[in-house]
Protein backbone atom coordinates (compact mmCIF):
# COMPACT_ATOMS: atom_id res chain seq x y z
CA UNK A 1 0.00 0.00 0.00
CA UNK A 2 1.39 3.35 -1.02
CA UNK A 3 0.78 5.09 2.28
CA UNK A 4 3.46 7.61 2.18
CA UNK A 5 4.29 11.20 2.42
CA UNK A 6 2.79 13.29 -0.38
CA UNK A 7 5.20 15.81 -1.86
CA UNK A 8 4.61 19.56 -1.47
CA UNK A 9 2.98 20.80 -3.92
CA UNK A 10 13.98 26.95 -19.78
CA UNK A 11 16.66 25.40 -20.35
CA UNK A 12 19.48 27.81 -19.69
CA UNK A 13 22.56 28.28 -21.80
CA UNK A 14 24.03 25.02 -23.00
CA UNK A 15 26.33 23.31 -20.56
CA UNK A 16 27.80 20.51 -22.67
CA UNK A 17 31.51 20.19 -23.33
CA UNK A 18 33.35 20.14 -26.60
CA UNK A 19 35.85 17.33 -27.07
CA UNK A 20 39.53 18.14 -26.68
CA UNK A 21 41.20 18.17 -30.07
CA UNK A 22 44.83 17.36 -30.50
CA UNK A 23 47.07 19.22 -32.94
CA UNK A 24 50.11 17.52 -34.46
CA UNK A 25 53.33 19.38 -35.01
CA UNK A 26 55.47 18.55 -37.99
CA UNK A 27 58.86 19.90 -36.96
CA UNK A 28 61.47 17.16 -37.08
CA UNK A 29 64.98 18.43 -36.63
CA UNK A 30 67.48 15.93 -35.29
CA UNK A 31 66.96 14.64 -31.79
CA UNK A 32 64.59 17.47 -30.90
CA UNK A 33 62.39 16.57 -33.83
CA UNK A 34 62.38 12.92 -32.78
CA UNK A 35 61.26 13.88 -29.28
CA UNK A 36 58.47 15.99 -30.68
CA UNK A 37 57.38 13.11 -32.89
CA UNK A 38 57.23 10.79 -29.88
CA UNK A 39 55.16 13.34 -27.99
CA UNK A 40 52.76 13.65 -30.90
CA UNK A 41 52.40 9.89 -31.17
CA UNK A 42 51.65 9.67 -27.45
CA UNK A 43 49.27 12.65 -27.36
CA UNK A 44 46.13 10.63 -28.22
CA UNK A 45 46.93 8.39 -25.26
CA UNK A 46 47.27 11.43 -23.04
CA UNK A 47 43.96 12.75 -24.25
CA UNK A 48 42.29 9.44 -23.53
CA UNK A 49 43.61 9.55 -19.97
CA UNK A 50 42.14 13.00 -19.30
CA UNK A 51 39.08 13.13 -17.06
CA UNK A 52 35.80 12.80 -18.93
CA UNK A 53 34.73 16.30 -17.90
CA UNK A 54 37.60 17.65 -19.99
CA UNK A 55 37.55 15.32 -22.95
CA UNK A 56 33.76 15.21 -23.16
CA UNK A 57 34.03 11.84 -22.32
CA UNK A 58 34.26 8.38 -23.24
CA UNK A 59 31.59 5.89 -24.02
CA UNK A 60 28.16 7.10 -24.97
CA UNK A 61 25.33 6.15 -22.65
CA UNK A 62 22.52 3.94 -23.90
CA UNK A 63 19.38 5.35 -22.29
CA UNK A 64 17.53 2.19 -23.28
CA UNK A 65 19.91 -0.27 -21.68
CA UNK A 66 18.43 -3.76 -21.63
CA UNK A 67 18.50 -3.83 -17.83
CA UNK A 68 15.50 -1.52 -18.00
CA UNK A 69 13.60 -3.91 -20.28
CA UNK A 70 14.21 -7.24 -18.56
CA UNK A 71 12.64 -10.01 -20.65
CA UNK A 72 9.47 -11.59 -19.31
CA UNK A 73 9.63 -15.11 -17.93
CA UNK A 74 7.07 -17.73 -18.92
CA UNK A 75 5.42 -17.46 -15.51
CA UNK A 76 5.29 -13.67 -15.91
CA UNK A 77 3.68 -13.90 -19.33
CA UNK A 78 1.05 -16.31 -18.07
CA UNK A 79 0.25 -14.36 -14.88
CA UNK A 80 0.31 -10.70 -15.93
CA UNK A 81 -2.60 -9.46 -18.08
CA UNK A 82 -1.35 -8.14 -21.41
CA UNK A 83 -2.61 -4.59 -20.93
CA UNK A 84 -1.01 -4.39 -17.48
CA UNK A 85 2.29 -5.79 -18.74
CA UNK A 86 2.39 -3.13 -21.43
CA UNK A 87 1.81 -0.41 -18.83
CA UNK A 88 4.43 -1.77 -16.42
CA UNK A 89 7.01 -1.78 -19.21
CA UNK A 90 5.99 1.59 -20.67
CA UNK A 91 6.00 3.54 -17.41
CA UNK A 92 8.93 1.66 -15.91
CA UNK A 93 11.04 2.63 -18.92
CA UNK A 94 9.73 6.21 -18.96
CA UNK A 95 10.51 6.89 -15.28
CA UNK A 96 13.55 4.63 -14.94
CA UNK A 97 12.20 1.94 -12.61
CA UNK A 98 12.40 -1.83 -13.15
CA UNK A 99 9.15 -2.94 -14.83
CA UNK A 100 9.16 -6.24 -12.96
CA UNK A 101 9.27 -4.40 -9.63
CA UNK A 102 6.22 -2.39 -10.70
CA UNK A 103 4.53 -5.61 -11.80
CA UNK A 104 5.40 -7.30 -8.52
CA UNK A 105 3.83 -4.41 -6.57
CA UNK A 106 0.69 -4.72 -8.73
CA UNK A 107 0.58 -8.46 -8.10
CA UNK A 108 1.10 -8.18 -4.35
CA UNK A 109 -1.41 -5.37 -3.92
CA UNK A 110 -4.38 -6.43 -6.08
CA UNK A 111 -3.35 -9.30 -8.38
CA UNK A 112 -3.04 -6.77 -11.23
CA UNK A 113 -6.47 -5.28 -10.54
CA UNK A 114 -8.26 -8.63 -10.53
CA UNK A 115 -8.99 -8.61 -6.79
CA UNK A 116 -12.58 -7.98 -5.71
CA UNK A 117 -11.58 -6.69 -2.30
CA UNK A 118 -12.88 -3.25 -1.22
CA UNK A 119 -11.01 -0.29 -2.67
CA UNK A 120 -9.65 -1.96 -5.80
CA UNK A 121 -12.29 -0.91 -8.33
CA UNK A 122 -14.13 1.69 -6.28
CA UNK A 123 -14.20 3.16 -2.80
CA UNK A 124 -11.33 2.50 -0.40
CA UNK A 125 -10.20 -0.32 1.85
CA UNK A 126 -10.10 -0.10 5.66
CA UNK A 127 -6.85 1.91 5.49
CA UNK A 128 -8.12 4.40 2.92
CA UNK A 129 -6.20 2.91 -0.04
CA UNK A 130 -7.64 2.60 -3.54
CA UNK A 131 -6.97 1.38 -7.06
CA UNK A 132 -4.83 -1.37 -8.55
CA UNK A 133 -1.63 -0.03 -6.95
CA UNK A 134 -3.36 0.78 -3.62
CA UNK A 135 -2.56 4.44 -3.08
CA UNK A 136 -3.87 6.18 0.01
CA UNK A 137 -6.30 8.77 -1.29
CA UNK A 138 -4.48 11.38 0.79
CA UNK A 139 -1.21 10.38 -0.91
CA UNK A 140 -2.77 10.40 -4.37
CA UNK A 141 -3.82 14.00 -3.89
CA UNK A 142 -6.89 14.15 -1.66
CA UNK A 143 -9.46 12.62 -3.99
CA UNK A 144 -9.62 9.64 -6.32
CA UNK A 145 -9.93 11.60 -9.56
CA UNK A 146 -8.01 14.82 -10.08
CA UNK A 147 -7.90 17.15 -13.07
CA UNK A 148 -4.21 17.39 -13.83
CA UNK A 149 -4.54 21.12 -14.44
CA UNK A 150 -5.58 21.64 -10.82
CA UNK A 151 -3.36 22.43 -7.85
CA UNK A 152 -2.65 19.37 -5.70
CA UNK A 153 0.05 17.72 -3.62
CA UNK A 154 0.37 14.03 -4.33
CA UNK A 155 1.26 11.28 -6.75
CA UNK A 156 -1.80 11.60 -8.99
CA UNK A 157 -0.62 11.00 -12.57
CA UNK A 158 -2.08 10.97 -16.05
CA UNK A 159 -0.79 7.82 -17.71
CA UNK A 160 -3.19 7.75 -20.65
CA UNK A 161 -3.27 11.43 -21.60
CA UNK A 162 -6.93 12.10 -20.81
CA UNK A 163 -6.12 15.01 -18.48
CA UNK A 164 -7.28 13.22 -15.33
CA UNK A 165 -5.32 11.39 -12.65
CA UNK A 166 -7.65 8.50 -11.77
CA UNK A 167 -6.46 6.23 -8.94
CA UNK A 168 -8.64 3.38 -10.35
CA UNK A 169 -7.23 3.72 -13.87
CA UNK A 170 -4.30 1.24 -14.26
CA UNK A 171 -2.45 3.60 -16.64
CA UNK A 172 -2.56 6.44 -14.11
CA UNK A 173 -1.96 4.32 -11.02
CA UNK A 174 1.06 2.48 -12.46
CA UNK A 175 2.66 5.75 -13.58
CA UNK A 176 2.08 7.18 -10.09
CA UNK A 177 3.66 4.11 -8.50
CA UNK A 178 6.69 4.39 -10.81
CA UNK A 179 7.17 8.03 -9.80
CA UNK A 180 6.88 7.17 -6.13
CA UNK A 181 9.43 4.34 -6.34
CA UNK A 182 11.81 6.53 -8.34
CA UNK A 183 11.50 9.36 -5.86
CA UNK A 184 12.32 7.07 -2.97
CA UNK A 185 15.43 5.33 -4.30
CA UNK A 186 14.60 3.05 -7.22
CA UNK A 187 16.15 1.69 -9.32
CA UNK A 188 19.46 1.68 -7.42
CA UNK A 189 18.04 1.21 -3.90
CA UNK A 190 14.85 -0.56 -4.81
CA UNK A 191 14.44 -2.27 -1.43
CA UNK A 192 14.40 1.07 0.34
CA UNK A 193 11.88 2.41 -2.19
CA UNK A 194 9.62 -0.58 -1.59
CA UNK A 195 9.90 -0.15 2.17
CA UNK A 196 8.69 3.44 1.83
CA UNK A 197 5.83 2.11 -0.33
CA UNK A 198 4.52 -0.12 2.44
CA UNK A 199 6.75 0.19 5.54
CA UNK A 200 7.32 -3.54 6.13
CA UNK A 201 10.41 -5.59 5.29
CA UNK A 202 8.35 -8.75 4.84
CA UNK A 203 6.45 -6.86 2.14
CA UNK A 204 9.74 -5.86 0.50
CA UNK A 205 10.92 -9.49 0.49
CA UNK A 206 7.68 -10.70 -1.06
CA UNK A 207 7.70 -8.07 -3.82
CA UNK A 208 11.34 -8.72 -4.71
CA UNK A 209 10.69 -12.48 -4.90
CA UNK A 210 7.73 -11.93 -7.25
CA UNK A 211 9.85 -9.56 -9.38
CA UNK A 212 12.57 -12.20 -9.71
CA UNK A 213 10.03 -14.73 -10.96
CA UNK A 214 8.61 -12.27 -13.48
CA UNK A 215 12.00 -11.53 -15.04
CA UNK A 216 13.56 -14.09 -17.34
CA UNK A 217 16.98 -13.72 -15.70
CA UNK A 218 15.57 -14.41 -12.23
CA UNK A 219 17.12 -11.16 -11.01
CA UNK A 220 16.13 -7.60 -10.22
CA UNK A 221 18.49 -5.70 -12.46
CA UNK A 222 19.71 -2.18 -11.77
CA UNK A 223 19.77 0.17 -14.78
CA UNK A 224 22.75 2.50 -15.23
CA UNK A 225 22.55 5.79 -13.36
CA UNK A 226 20.94 8.46 -15.50
CA UNK A 227 23.60 10.61 -17.16
CA UNK A 228 23.42 14.00 -18.83
CA UNK A 229 22.25 12.23 -21.98
CA UNK A 230 19.39 10.64 -20.01
CA UNK A 231 17.82 13.39 -17.92
CA UNK A 232 14.20 12.73 -18.87
CA UNK A 233 13.52 10.14 -16.13
CA UNK A 234 14.76 12.59 -13.50
CA UNK A 235 12.53 15.34 -14.88
CA UNK A 236 9.54 13.01 -15.25
CA UNK A 237 9.85 11.94 -11.59
CA UNK A 238 9.87 15.52 -10.27
CA UNK A 239 7.28 16.14 -7.54
CA UNK A 240 5.78 19.08 -9.46
CA UNK A 241 6.10 21.14 -12.64
CA UNK A 242 7.98 23.78 -10.67
CA UNK A 243 10.58 21.26 -9.48
CA UNK A 244 10.84 19.91 -13.03
CA UNK A 245 11.79 23.41 -14.24
CA UNK A 246 14.34 23.76 -11.43
CA UNK A 247 15.93 20.41 -12.33
CA UNK A 248 15.95 21.10 -16.07
CA UNK A 249 17.85 24.34 -15.62
CA UNK A 250 20.25 22.98 -13.01
CA UNK A 251 21.10 19.80 -14.93
CA UNK A 252 21.81 21.80 -18.06
CA UNK A 253 24.56 23.71 -16.25
CA UNK A 254 26.76 20.61 -15.94
CA UNK A 255 30.19 21.08 -17.39
CA UNK A 256 30.34 24.77 -16.61
CA UNK A 257 33.16 25.95 -14.32
CA UNK A 258 33.02 26.81 -10.65
CA UNK A 259 33.38 30.53 -9.92
CA UNK A 260 33.17 31.92 -6.38
CA UNK A 261 30.24 34.34 -6.34
CA UNK A 262 29.10 33.16 -9.77
CA UNK A 263 25.40 33.14 -10.63
CA UNK A 264 25.77 32.37 -14.33
CA UNK A 265 25.20 32.15 -17.10
CA UNK A 266 28.75 30.95 -17.77
CA UNK A 267 29.96 29.97 -14.28
CA UNK A 268 28.50 29.42 -10.81
CA UNK A 269 29.37 28.70 -7.21
CA UNK A 270 27.49 26.13 -5.11
CA UNK A 271 24.63 28.34 -3.99
CA UNK A 272 24.69 30.40 -7.18
CA UNK A 273 23.61 27.55 -9.46
CA UNK A 274 20.73 26.72 -7.09
CA UNK A 275 19.70 30.37 -6.88
CA UNK A 276 19.71 30.58 -10.69
CA UNK A 277 17.77 27.30 -11.06
CA UNK A 278 15.01 28.56 -8.77
CA UNK A 279 14.92 31.85 -10.67
CA UNK A 280 14.50 29.88 -13.90
CA UNK A 281 11.32 28.46 -12.36
CA UNK A 282 10.11 31.97 -11.43
CA UNK A 283 11.09 31.83 -7.76
CA UNK A 284 13.44 33.94 -5.67
CA UNK A 285 15.36 32.37 -2.77
CA UNK A 286 18.41 33.67 -0.88
CA UNK A 287 21.65 33.89 -2.82
CA UNK A 288 24.21 32.41 -0.41
CA UNK A 289 24.61 29.07 1.37
CA UNK A 290 24.64 30.72 4.79
CA UNK A 291 21.20 32.26 4.19
CA UNK A 292 19.75 29.36 2.19
CA UNK A 293 20.29 27.05 5.21
CA UNK A 294 17.83 28.78 7.59
CA UNK A 295 15.48 29.76 4.74
CA UNK A 296 14.11 26.32 3.83
CA UNK A 297 11.97 24.11 6.03
CA UNK A 298 14.12 21.34 7.55
CA UNK A 299 13.55 17.86 6.09
CA UNK A 300 14.38 14.60 7.87
CA UNK A 301 17.07 12.50 6.23
CA UNK A 302 15.38 9.85 4.11
CA UNK A 303 12.44 12.14 3.33
CA UNK A 304 14.34 14.45 0.98
CA UNK A 305 13.14 14.69 -2.60
CA UNK A 306 14.17 16.39 -5.86
CA UNK A 307 14.29 20.18 -5.50
CA UNK A 308 15.39 20.02 -1.86
CA UNK A 309 18.80 21.28 -0.75
CA UNK A 310 21.50 19.24 1.00
CA UNK A 311 24.08 21.06 3.14
CA UNK A 312 27.62 20.24 4.27
CA UNK A 313 30.18 21.36 6.83
CA UNK A 314 32.97 22.53 4.54
CA UNK A 315 35.75 23.18 7.02
CA UNK A 316 37.07 26.26 8.85
CA UNK A 317 34.43 28.89 9.45
CA UNK A 318 31.56 26.47 8.94
CA UNK A 319 29.78 24.00 11.22
CA UNK A 320 26.66 21.89 11.62
CA UNK A 321 24.77 25.10 12.45
CA UNK A 322 26.48 27.14 9.78
CA UNK A 323 27.13 24.92 6.73
CA UNK A 324 29.37 26.25 4.01
CA UNK A 325 28.44 24.09 1.02
CA UNK A 326 25.14 23.17 -0.61
CA UNK A 327 23.91 20.86 -3.37
CA UNK A 328 20.57 20.43 -5.16
CA UNK A 329 18.92 17.04 -4.72
CA UNK A 330 18.04 15.63 -8.17
CA UNK A 331 17.15 12.06 -7.10
CA UNK A 332 17.61 9.87 -4.03
CA UNK A 333 21.30 9.91 -3.12
CA UNK A 334 22.27 12.21 -6.01
CA UNK A 335 22.80 15.95 -6.14
CA UNK A 336 23.96 18.57 -8.59
CA UNK A 337 26.82 20.62 -7.17
CA UNK A 338 29.37 23.26 -8.00
CA UNK A 339 31.96 22.17 -5.46
CA UNK A 340 35.19 24.16 -5.82
CA UNK A 341 37.58 25.61 -8.40
CA UNK A 342 39.90 22.57 -8.32
CA UNK A 343 37.10 19.99 -8.05
CA UNK A 344 36.16 20.05 -11.71
CA UNK A 345 33.06 21.52 -13.33
CA UNK A 346 29.47 21.41 -12.14
CA UNK A 347 28.26 17.81 -12.08
CA UNK A 348 25.94 15.25 -10.50
CA UNK A 349 27.52 13.43 -7.56
CA UNK A 350 26.48 11.27 -4.60
CA UNK A 351 25.67 12.98 -1.32
CA UNK A 352 25.19 9.73 0.59
CA UNK A 353 28.91 9.01 0.55
CA UNK A 354 29.77 12.36 2.21
CA UNK A 355 30.53 12.17 5.93
CA UNK A 356 30.23 15.95 6.42
CA UNK A 357 26.55 16.17 5.50
CA UNK A 358 24.58 18.23 8.03
CA UNK A 359 21.00 18.25 6.76
CA UNK A 360 18.32 18.91 4.15
CA UNK A 361 15.87 21.76 3.63
CA UNK A 362 12.88 22.40 1.37
CA UNK A 363 12.79 26.01 0.11
CA UNK A 364 9.43 25.36 -1.54
CA UNK A 365 7.79 25.27 1.88
CA UNK A 366 9.14 28.65 3.02
CA UNK A 367 6.15 31.03 3.47
CA UNK A 368 7.66 33.58 1.06
CA UNK A 369 8.05 30.92 -1.64
CA UNK A 370 4.51 29.63 -1.05
CA UNK A 371 3.29 33.17 -1.76
CA UNK A 372 5.40 33.30 -4.90
CA UNK A 373 3.91 29.97 -6.02
CA UNK A 374 0.40 31.31 -5.53
CA UNK A 375 1.19 34.31 -7.73
CA UNK A 376 2.71 32.08 -10.40
CA UNK A 377 -0.45 29.99 -10.48
CA UNK A 378 -2.73 33.04 -10.38
CA UNK A 379 -0.98 36.19 -11.68
CA UNK A 380 -4.06 38.32 -10.90
CA UNK A 381 -3.48 37.96 -7.14
Amino acid sequence: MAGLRPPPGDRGPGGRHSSVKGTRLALVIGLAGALILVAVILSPMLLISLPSFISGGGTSVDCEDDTQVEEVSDSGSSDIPGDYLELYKKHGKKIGVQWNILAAVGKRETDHGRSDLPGVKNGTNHAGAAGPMQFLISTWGGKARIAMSSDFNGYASDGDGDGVGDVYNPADAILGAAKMLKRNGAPENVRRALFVYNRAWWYVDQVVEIARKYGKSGEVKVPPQASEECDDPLIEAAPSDVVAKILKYALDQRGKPYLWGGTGPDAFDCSGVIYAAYRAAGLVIPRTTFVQWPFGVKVQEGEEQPGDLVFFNSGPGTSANNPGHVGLVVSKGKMLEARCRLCGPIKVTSYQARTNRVGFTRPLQNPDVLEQLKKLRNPSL
Side-chain angles (χ1 to χ4, degrees):
M1 176 177 63
L4 329 193
R5 304 167 180 77
D10 319 13
R11 255 189 212 282
R16 305 293 184 247
H17 321 290
S18 300
S19 297
V20 175
K21 298 180 180 178
T23 302
R24 297 199 173 210
L25 300 177
L27 300 176
V28 182
I29 305 174
L31 179 58
L35 289 173
I36 292 173
L37 180 60
V38 169
V40 172
I41 292 171
L42 289 178
S43 64
M45 296 172 63
L46 294 175
L47 290 177
I48 291 170
S49 69
L50 289 173
S52 60
F53 61 76
I54 297 176
S55 65
T59 320
S60 62
V61 175
D62 181 4
C63 299
E64 298 183 4
D65 186 273
D66 61 6
T67 56
Q68 293 192 34
V69 286
E70 165 79 87
E71 290 186 41
V72 190
S73 66
D74 291 341
S75 63
S77 296
S78 63
D79 188 47
I80 306 171
D83 55 344
Y84 271 74
L85 179 59
E86 183 179 347
L87 290 170
Y88 293 136
K89 287 190 167 186
K90 174 184 175 182
H91 294 314
K93 180 178 178 180
K94 178 180 182 181
I95 301 302
V97 174
Q98 300 94 329
W99 73 263
N100 52 332
I101 286 289
L102 278 174
V105 171
K107 174 68 175 179
R108 178 62 185 75
E109 296 289 353
T110 67
D111 193 21
H112 310 298
R114 291 179 290 217
S115 172
D116 291 323
L117 290 172
V120 177
K121 299 179 176 66
N122 54 66
T124 63
N125 67 10
H126 68 282
M133 303 303 278
Q134 289 292 277
F135 275 91
L136 289 180
I137 293 298
S138 59
T139 302
W140 186 253
K143 54 186 178 179
R145 295 178 177 86
I146 297 175
M148 299 308 291
S149 59
S150 64
D151 182 23
F152 69 95
N153 288 331
Y155 289 93
S157 302
D158 180 11
D160 59 2
D162 65 357
V164 176
D166 184 346
V167 75
Y168 304 107
N169 181 337
D172 298 349
I174 291 170
L175 177 57
K179 288 181 177 180
M180 174 178 247
L181 291 169
K182 178 75 175 182
R183 205 168 296 148
N184 288 294
E188 293 82 11
N189 194 346
V190 73
R191 287 184 62 84
R192 181 192 182 284
L194 289 169
F195 180 80
V196 175
Y197 202 91
N198 200 16
R199 302 266 168 207
W201 289 114
W202 58 260
Y203 174 88
V204 174
D205 292 338
Q206 289 182 7
V207 170
V208 170
E209 184 58 29
I210 296 168
R212 287 193 183 114
K213 292 177 179 177
Y214 279 166
K216 200 164 188 177
S217 70
E219 302 174 2
V220 176
K221 295 185 176 181
V222 178
Q225 182 70 31
S227 74
E228 59 193 66
E229 288 87 3
C230 307
D231 287 342
D232 286 347
L234 297 178
I235 306 301
E236 289 282 354
S240 67
D241 289 343
V242 169
V243 174
K245 289 178 182 178
I246 292 168
L247 296 188
K248 283 180 71 174
Y249 182 91
L251 289 167
D252 204 48
Q253 308 316 305
R254 279 176 300 191
K256 294 183 179 180
Y258 175 92
L259 175 66
W260 187 82
T263 55
D266 299 319
F268 301 84
D269 65 11
C270 65
S271 56
V273 69
I274 293 169
Y275 171 78
Y278 270 76
R279 283 187 68 91
L283 301 173
V284 178
I285 65 171
R287 161 66 187 87
T288 67
T289 304
F290 298 118
V291 189
Q292 287 176 359
W293 169 244
F295 180 80
V297 173
K298 298 297 186 295
V299 176
Q300 290 293 320
E301 182 166 353
E303 297 181 6
E304 71 276 9
Q305 62 186 28
D308 291 346
L309 308 187
V310 53
F311 292 84
F312 303 86
N313 180 348
S314 59
T318 71
S319 66
N321 296 320
N322 191 37
H325 180 58
V326 61
L328 175 71
V329 176
V330 297
S331 68
K332 280 293 178 182
K334 300 292 180 181
M335 65 177 173
L336 180 127
E337 67 169 339
R339 190 169 185 182
C340 71
R341 185 176 61 83
L342 299 178
C343 301
I346 298 168
K347 53 184 173 287
V348 173
T349 62
S350 169
Y351 59 75
Q352 289 181 326
R354 303 277 182 86
T355 58
N356 59 338
R357 189 170 68 249
V358 300
F360 300 86
T361 70
R362 186 164 298 155
L364 291 175
Q365 287 188 345
N366 177 280
D368 289 345
V369 175
L370 291 174
E371 284 299 315
Q372 293 177 50
L373 286 169
K374 285 182 183 177
K375 291 179 180 178
L376 284 177
R377 293 172 185 138
N378 189 352
S380 63
L381 289 176

